Amino acid sequence: MENLIRLKPNYTNLDALYELLKSSSYECSKEYDTWEHRADSSGQMSQCIVLKKSGMHAVKLFFVNENTVKINYIIPNKLMNVYFGKSVKARRNILEVIAGAIKQAILVKSQQQAFEELEGEIKNLAA
């Protein structure tokens, strides 16, 4: 689950957007992007904004160009992400494939609801 949102011109950097989102009703933090391990122009790990609904549901925001932000659904808790996040292993055995399909089928509705709720909050505040 991901989406691109075009922002107003006065929210063209991560710090300005973070200051705006701190006033929302959700927990907001600025963290290094450990989910995708993106690097910035200087080779350092890029930062993103994490907007949490709970320990299991959150979205991360980062800029793809000057005034467009990309929103991705994430599981913010590192331990929960290990068990319920998407597997990035190149080769998985049959039990991992079956378990992954079952947990995605169980979690997809609540993840979609949380994503839409957090996305709506961002659209209301920044767009």
Side-chain angles (χ1 to χ4, degrees):
M1 290 170 268
E2 63 184 37
N3 198 2
L4 295 173
I5 295 179
R6 191 176 188 94
L7 301 176
K8 291 179 183 175
N10 46 339
Y11 304 117
T12 57
N13 63 24
L14 216 54
D15 294 324
L17 187 58
Y18 175 65
E19 290 301 320
L20 173 73
L21 291 174
K22 280 196 316 188
S23 66
S24 73
S25 58
Y26 299 103
E27 184 181 339
C28 183
S29 61
K30 191 171 159 186
E31 302 178 14
Y32 288 102
D33 192 356
T34 58
W35 294 271
E36 289 184 32
H37 300 288
R38 294 177 305 107
D40 61 11
S41 59
S42 63
Q44 301 294 320
M45 188 179 284
S46 293
Q47 289 189 323
C48 62
I49 296 174
V50 177
L51 193 63
K52 295 181 189 178
K53 180 177 180 182
S54 68
M56 188 69 177
H57 302 294
V59 293
K60 93 178 162 157
L61 299 90
F62 60 92
F63 281 91
V64 291
N65 62 31
E66 187 176 308
N67 61 349
T68 305
V69 70
K70 185 174 184 178
I71 304 171
N72 287 346
Y73 175 84
I74 59 167
I75 299 173
N77 183 306
K78 305 291 190 256
L79 184 62
M80 297 288 264
N81 191 42
V82 169
Y83 289 111
F84 298 108
K86 294 208 181 274
S87 176
V88 292
K89 290 170 58 176
R91 301 176 200 265
R92 297 184 294 169
N93 64 35
I94 190 69
L95 291 176
E96 290 174 322
V97 171
I98 292 170
I102 291 170
K103 74 181 171 190
Q104 286 305 314
I106 292 171
L107 294 175
V108 72
K109 185 176 180 182
S110 64
Q111 289 176 339
Q112 184 68 34
Q113 280 180 322
F115 179 77
E116 288 171 358
E117 187 177 326
L118 292 168
E119 180 186 34
E121 182 76 15
I122 295 162
K123 285 181 179 178
N124 290 339
L125 291 174

